[in-house]
Amino acid sequence: MDYILQRHPYVDDALYNQRRHRISGLVKEYHANPTVAPIIEYTEAENQIWRALLKRLKPLHKKYASRMYLEGFKKLHFTPDEIPELRDVSDKLECICGFKLIPIEGFVDSRSFLSCLRNHCMLCTQYVRHFSKPFFSDEPDIIHELLGHTPFFTNPEMVGLYETIGRLAYEADSGRLVAIERLAWFTMEAGLIEEDGKLKVMGTAILSSIGELKHCASDQVEKRPFVMDEVVNTSFDPYQMQPKLFFVHSIAGLRNEIERYFN
Ligand SMILES: [Fe+2]
């Protein structure tokens, strides 16, 4: 697999940079000899971010998160005081739904990231966001991976959806890949689902951000029914609060629409 380690936005913070390099080195060692994912001994400062975020996200999740997220979250029994180790969460997921988490150093290209999902694997970062922005991360970090993505990997229907998206990304030419990236963004990362007549959040980028959850609940966000033609022609900026989101009625219906459109 081709890993692209980008310059992170806090590269001028020497201490933070050192920490990122330390974690990155452990991940490199793992890929040279991929047996078990590295254990990261998270610092008190890093665990504090986890605790603060978890405490503030819980009531928001209760109010806005989709049922499948809440059910998945319960199954994972996250430690409230310390950031759970990726390999422990991966072991739990493997027992529940056969899903595995694979450590990576940082960003990878979208094809590599999405393609992995077809094999029921997700590439996950292990570093923690910069302390200056505890409630919003510019990049995916371990907290986004755990609090955003992992609860969905306990749900067979969602695992099926990710498998479909992963297969499409793997097979796509570069033109079609843009459509798949938008599909993935407006479902996995920033999607909504209708439950009992209410719109609930299933997008992991929203579920792992306090600001985005509150923004999403406001009337500043345009919420449109999911129509594939419109979704694949809508661009997005992951670094901004989302101005427009799409909602699906069910995961089965979404998968049918994806298959029909791309096949
Ligand atoms: Fe994500």
Side-chain angles (χ1 to χ4, degrees), residues 61-67 70 191-196 198-203 207 216 246-248:
H61 284 167
K62 209 172 164 188
K63 211 165 166 187
Y64 302 122
S66 64
R67 203 177 295 126
L70 295 171
L192 303 174
I193 185 165
E194 191 180 12
E195 282 175 4
D196 306 325
K198 288 183 185 154
L199 295 185
K200 297 286 180 173
V201 181
M202 66 170 189
L207 288 163
C216 167
F246 295 94
F247 62 89
V248 299

Side-chain angles (χ1 to χ4, degrees), residues 113 122 140 144-145 149 189 204-205:
F113 175 76
M122 192 177 95
H144 165 73
E145 320 288 29
H149 285 280
E189 295 284 346
T204 61

Side-chain angles (χ1 to χ4, degrees), residues 246-259:
F246 295 94
F247 62 89
V248 299
H249 299 289
S250 70
I251 299 303
L254 172 61
R255 270 184 88 185
N256 284 341
E257 190 160 349
I258 293 172
E259 296 285 358

Side-chain angles (χ1 to χ4, degrees), residues 44-197:
E44 175 52 21
E46 289 167 337
N47 283 324
Q48 262 181 23
I49 296 178
W50 168 260
R51 285 197 287 272
L53 200 54
L54 201 57
K55 191 176 162 196
R56 286 166 178 77
L57 277 175
K58 264 195 163 171
L60 293 171
H61 284 167
K62 209 172 164 188
K63 211 165 166 187
Y64 302 122
S66 64
R67 203 177 295 126
M68 55 192 166
Y69 176 86
L70 295 171
E71 287 169 0
F73 191 94
K74 265 189 215 158
K75 288 180 194 167
L76 291 172
H77 302 287
F78 287 137
T79 42
D81 296 329
E82 291 179 346
I83 300 171
E85 291 294 339
L86 194 71
R87 72 190 208 186
D88 295 341
V89 181
S90 184
D91 287 348
K92 280 185 201 168
L93 289 171
E94 209 175 344
C95 288
I96 297 170
C97 247
F99 215 92
K100 281 191 212 163
L101 308 176
I102 299 174
I104 44 165
E105 293 172 54
F107 278 128
V108 290
D109 61 281
S110 64
R111 189 192 297 279
S112 299
F113 175 76
L114 293 172
S115 296
C116 235
L117 297 169
R118 79 190 193 286
N119 295 325
H120 299 185
C121 294
M122 192 177 95
L123 303 174
C124 292
T125 55
Q126 284 188 284
Y127 56 81
V128 177
R129 63 196 57 191
H130 195 262
F131 67 87
S132 64
K133 281 190 179 173
F135 302 139
F136 175 81
S137 181
D138 302 285
E139 318 162 82
D141 70 338
I142 181 75
I143 299 180
H144 165 73
E145 320 288 29
L146 295 178
L147 292 184
H149 285 280
T150 58
F152 291 108
F153 301 144
T154 67
N155 182 304
E157 223 183 358
M158 287 304 275
V159 170
L161 172 67
Y162 296 144
E163 186 185 313
T164 301
I165 292 176
R167 179 178 48 76
L168 289 169
Y170 180 72
E171 293 168 355
D173 59 24
S174 54
R176 185 175 265 207
L177 188 61
V178 174
I180 313 287
E181 285 168 358
R182 291 175 177 172
L183 162 68
W185 176 259
F186 286 112
T187 54
M188 282 172 59
E189 295 284 346
L192 303 174
I193 185 165
E194 191 180 12
E195 282 175 4
D196 306 325

